[in-house]
Amino acid sequence: MRAAEMFAAGRRQVDVAVELEVSQQTASRWHRQWIEGGNEALEGAGRAGRRPRLNDAQIAVIREELLKGPQAHGFATGVWTLGRVAIVIERLTGVTYGPTQTWTILRTRLGWSRQRPARRAVERDEDAIVAWRENEWPRIKNSAAPRCVDLLPGRKRCVAAAGHPRNLGAQRPHTRAAEELSKPVDQRPSGDLRHRGVR
């Protein structure tokens, strides 16, 4: 048996499980039997689980038919789904599979992977997209670059770049309170609040 040869060559249980496509528990059981009884203990082990319902010749026929595309089998669009593949398998072999089993056949026995078709609008104009990307986008990107100022640690104030009137608001009126706040702390009026009209 192949597992006995691999164990004798010093391969790990996980390697046996992956290469022979069996569970970790099965590989561990085989290793324990091999340790206790040698190669003879694994003679009757054979394959774990029941035999596949489709043989290699049937899988080859399924592969050929799937490569023809879904429309060759009467489906409206050119996209394979698990349900459609299961229908084709049943038509060709008489064996019924659910979505999970169909996916296992596609992945392990046919070597296919899951892919999604790229969705593109029929009206899509590639030349117009390239022209916009080369001409308009750099202009928009460069003109909208904001200026940022560090006010406090971890806080920034960003204003639009010069020449962007859409981001400039109305100018604020100059007030005495704003003038007082703009002075350094040591130059501000201090002391008695009564001088400032507060009683």
Side-chain angles (χ1 to χ4, degrees), residues 13-199:
Q13 294 177 29
V14 67
D15 298 331
V16 172
V18 169
E19 195 164 324
L20 299 181
E21 296 179 1
V22 296
S23 67
Q24 272 296 114
Q25 293 83 357
T26 301
S28 178
R29 182 170 38 85
W30 286 351
H31 187 260
R32 188 173 56 254
Q33 290 173 343
W34 179 75
I35 292 290
E36 293 171 358
N39 292 355
E40 295 80 25
L42 293 180
E43 288 291 327
R47 174 178 157 55
R50 64 181 177 188
R51 299 244 174 241
R53 293 163 65 189
L54 298 176
N55 60 35
D56 292 339
Q58 289 172 314
I59 291 292
V61 170
I62 291 168
R63 177 182 283 116
E64 288 176 23
E65 291 300 317
L66 293 180
L67 289 174
K68 292 178 182 176
Q71 292 171 326
H73 291 278
F75 298 109
T77 63
V79 177
W80 280 117
T81 63
L82 293 176
R84 290 178 176 185
V85 172
I87 290 170
V88 171
I89 290 174
E90 187 174 3
R91 284 180 192 162
L92 296 173
T93 64
V95 178
T96 305
Y97 282 114
T100 304
Q101 298 157 323
T102 304
W103 171 238
T104 301
I105 289 171
L106 287 172
R107 187 173 43 84
T108 60
R109 299 198 64 191
L110 293 173
W112 286 25
S113 63
R114 185 177 73 126
Q115 298 178 5
R116 294 187 181 212
R119 295 179 186 261
R120 295 186 182 260
V122 176
E123 304 85 11
R124 185 178 170 102
D125 184 359
E126 292 295 332
D127 295 334
I129 292 170
V130 170
W132 185 89
R133 217 180 268 147
E134 290 176 356
N135 301 323
E136 295 298 316
W137 175 240
R139 181 184 61 80
I140 294 168
K141 184 178 173 186
N142 291 335
S143 65
R147 283 188 346 251
C148 294
V149 179
D150 287 325
L151 297 175
L152 295 171
R155 295 184 69 184
K156 285 187 175 186
R157 169 129 181 140
C158 296
V159 290
H164 258 272
R166 64 188 171 106
N167 290 330
L168 299 177
Q171 186 174 4
R172 292 183 187 174
H174 186 69
T175 63
R176 184 171 179 175
E179 185 178 299
E180 293 290 332
L181 289 175
S182 65
K183 292 181 181 177
V185 176
D186 58 342
Q187 294 179 7
R188 292 182 192 172
S190 62
D192 194 359
L193 295 175
R194 283 178 291 172
H195 294 300
R196 302 177 68 192
V198 178
R199 297 189 186 268

